[in-house]
Amino acid sequence: MEEAEPPGEEAIEEVPGTPAFRPPEGLLPLVELTRFRYAPSDRPRARLVHETLVIITASGAVEARDPSNGEFRWKLGFPDLNFFEPVSMGDDLLLASGSGKILLVDEAAGTILKDVDLSFELALAPLPGEEPGRFFLATTDAVVLYDWSAGPVFRAPIDEKPLALATRGTLLVVSGAERTLTALDARNGASVWRFIGRGGFHAAAVFRNDGKRLFIGDDAGDFYSLSTDKGEIDFRWSTGAAIRSSALVEGNRVYVASLGNNLYAYDADGGSEQWRARLPGRPATTPIRVNQRLLVTTLDGTLVEVETGLGHLGKSHALPGELLVPLSARIEPAPMTEQTFADTEPAEAETPYGETTPRWFERSRIAAVIRTGEVLLLRHQSETPPVPTPSTEDSTVPH
């Protein structure tokens, strides 16, 4: 015979173990890690390059900070220069001004390794080439391949003022301000093909992984899939509003935002529209993949996540002002699994709670510049960790 439970007491239920941690599907919500204040006349620009937050002002100052905590590292001053956005060259930073001064700076120490004064002015920031020590420079009417050792390798004239450069393999693609997309041989500057759109090309072309196609939008709102060998149209989509940012290409899916406040997902193989999402404002940046979400920023300072399956809007985050320049993001990729881009379950956690190394979503950073001149360094707001089991040593999670 079974013994009865003592009066007034209930049977003890089994306490389940601590549930397995699952990483966030996106990056939101965000928390402000630190804020740097500049005068509005400084018109600061912030760029997360490799392991450094670089802030450039209109007065010629170049300042480097630690992106993990915002701590000061080094500062350079050139009162008569206004630099373009910095470019990563391995462990160094490449800085260029419109006047034609080029600097190679040690990223960690701020030491100037090379200092060159060109005989011509520049229209864009340099674009690193695939060969070490070489990069492409754009003037108002030409593209120059420059070598640190030999100087200019070639100068290729172009018909329109360039607004962006892109390269892949032996192809260099120049986005023209009027209507022309120009493809050059990246080795010698020879013309490969020219494509005429219906409006200016403001953003850089984006290549598919196999290198056989490129994707780009124009100011008339047309979005093109072109063959890289001849520049012929594979597909053309009409969005009805100007496209000012590059596309995001992932396998057989391509995402692009237009100034009609829409984010589009297209089949990169067959050309069909998969979905479109209505954004809360005009997009300011290229869509960014963050685990199972796309992160898009609007000009009025709203960050919004879009789920990739059907294009539903998710969490949003409002910055304390309109953007002065497009934000810069360093998003650590989640561990690659078969589900990473499958629009289903999120990838497993990179490391469990209790280890000292921050996980991918804790290492990710966003730098935003608002019109008041303030630079905001943001990070993911980690959720409260689960309570460890009695057998686990007590430890803290980095925030």
Side-chain angles (χ1 to χ4, degrees):
M1 178 180 297
E2 296 182 355
E3 295 184 3
E5 294 290 339
E9 295 186 15
E10 298 179 355
I12 299 176
E13 297 181 358
E14 182 180 352
V15 179
T18 303
F21 172 76
R22 301 188 71 82
E25 295 177 334
L27 196 64
L28 303 183
L30 297 174
V31 64
E32 186 176 312
L33 186 64
T34 187
R35 182 182 300 207
F36 313 105
R37 290 176 170 82
Y38 296 86
S41 59
D42 285 330
R43 296 187 62 82
R45 286 161 290 151
R47 196 79 174 172
L48 287 158
V49 183
H50 197 216
E51 297 296 332
T52 306
L53 170 62
V54 183
I55 302 174
I56 295 177
T57 68
S59 58
V62 181
E63 186 175 326
R65 292 184 173 271
D66 187 334
S68 65
N69 52 25
E71 289 185 357
F72 176 83
R73 285 183 177 171
W74 51 262
K75 184 175 182 179
L76 300 175
F78 299 87
D80 298 328
L81 299 178
N82 188 1
F83 290 102
F84 297 110
E85 289 76 14
V87 176
S88 178
M89 293 281 286
D91 294 330
D92 305 319
L93 298 177
L94 184 60
L95 296 170
S97 71
S99 64
K101 176 175 280 293
I102 301 179
L103 300 174
L104 186 66
V105 180
D106 182 279
E107 181 183 338
T111 306
I112 298 177
L113 305 175
K114 294 181 183 293
D115 185 342
V116 176
D117 289 306
L118 302 173
S119 59
F120 50 87
E121 296 183 349
L122 300 178
L124 298 172
L127 174 68
E130 298 203 355
E131 295 185 40
R134 289 191 169 190
F135 47 90
F136 298 99
L137 301 170
T139 71
T140 56
D141 60 359
V143 176
V144 177
L145 175 60
Y146 192 89
D147 186 289
W148 278 126
S149 302
V153 178
F154 68 72
R155 182 184 185 278
I158 52 178
D159 298 332
E160 298 177 1
K161 179 182 177 180
L163 296 182
L165 302 176
T167 187
R168 173 71 179 271
T170 62
L171 198 66
L172 174 67
V173 180
V174 185
S175 300
E178 300 298 328
R179 296 175 57 196
T180 306
L181 196 67
T182 303
L184 305 172
D185 190 315
R187 298 164 295 184
N188 54 31
S191 177
V192 179
W193 50 259
R194 295 168 70 245
F195 176 79
I196 306 298
R198 295 200 306 124
F201 295 96
H202 283 254
V206 179
F207 295 85
R208 189 165 175 170
N209 289 339
D210 58 13
K212 296 181 179 180
R213 292 184 187 176
L214 63 83
F215 299 88
I216 192 168
D218 65 19
D219 225 23
D222 286 342
F223 184 60
Y224 303 94
S225 170
L226 305 176
S227 64
T228 53
D229 57 348
K230 298 181 180 180
E232 296 177 341
I233 296 178
D234 291 320
F235 304 106
R236 181 179 70 87
W237 302 273
S238 180
T239 67
I243 298 173
R244 295 287 180 90
S245 57
S246 297
L248 172 64
V249 182
E250 293 182 342
N252 65 347
R253 183 72 67 86
V254 55
Y255 306 95
V256 65
S258 78
L259 294 188
N261 298 5
N262 286 322
L263 175 65
Y264 297 86
Y266 295 112
D267 185 330
D269 291 325
S272 62
E273 180 180 315
Q274 302 298 295
W275 51 257
R276 70 178 67 180
R278 186 67 176 173
L279 301 174
R282 288 191 167 190
T285 53
T286 297
I288 302 169
R289 161 70 74 161
V290 184
N291 206 10
Q292 296 298 301
R293 297 288 181 263
L294 298 177
L295 183 66
V296 185
T297 309
T298 64
L299 291 172
D300 62 3
T302 300
L303 286 75
V304 61
E305 288 178 345
V306 183
E307 65 90 18
T308 55
L310 298 174
H312 296 155
L313 299 187
K315 298 177 182 178
S316 64
H317 178 91
L319 298 174
E322 296 181 350
L323 290 179
L324 178 63
V325 293
L327 61 75
S328 177
R330 189 191 71 181
I331 305 298
E332 294 279 348
M336 293 296 101
T337 70
E338 293 181 357
Q339 296 178 337
T340 300
F341 302 118
D343 302 328
T344 55
E345 295 297 325
E348 291 299 325
E350 181 178 352
T351 57
Y353 277 105
E355 296 192 11
T356 58
T357 302
R359 289 151 300 192
W360 68 267
F361 51 89
E362 293 170 323
R363 294 192 297 265
S364 299
R365 293 289 184 271
I366 288 177
V369 183
I370 55 179
R371 291 194 176 275
T372 57
E374 294 174 299
V375 178
L376 282 58
L377 182 60
L378 310 168
R379 66 164 172 80
H380 169 76
Q381 184 174 348
S382 300
E383 298 178 356
T384 304
V387 178
T389 59
S391 60
T392 303
E393 293 184 6
D394 188 20
S395 60
T396 58
V397 179
H399 286 274

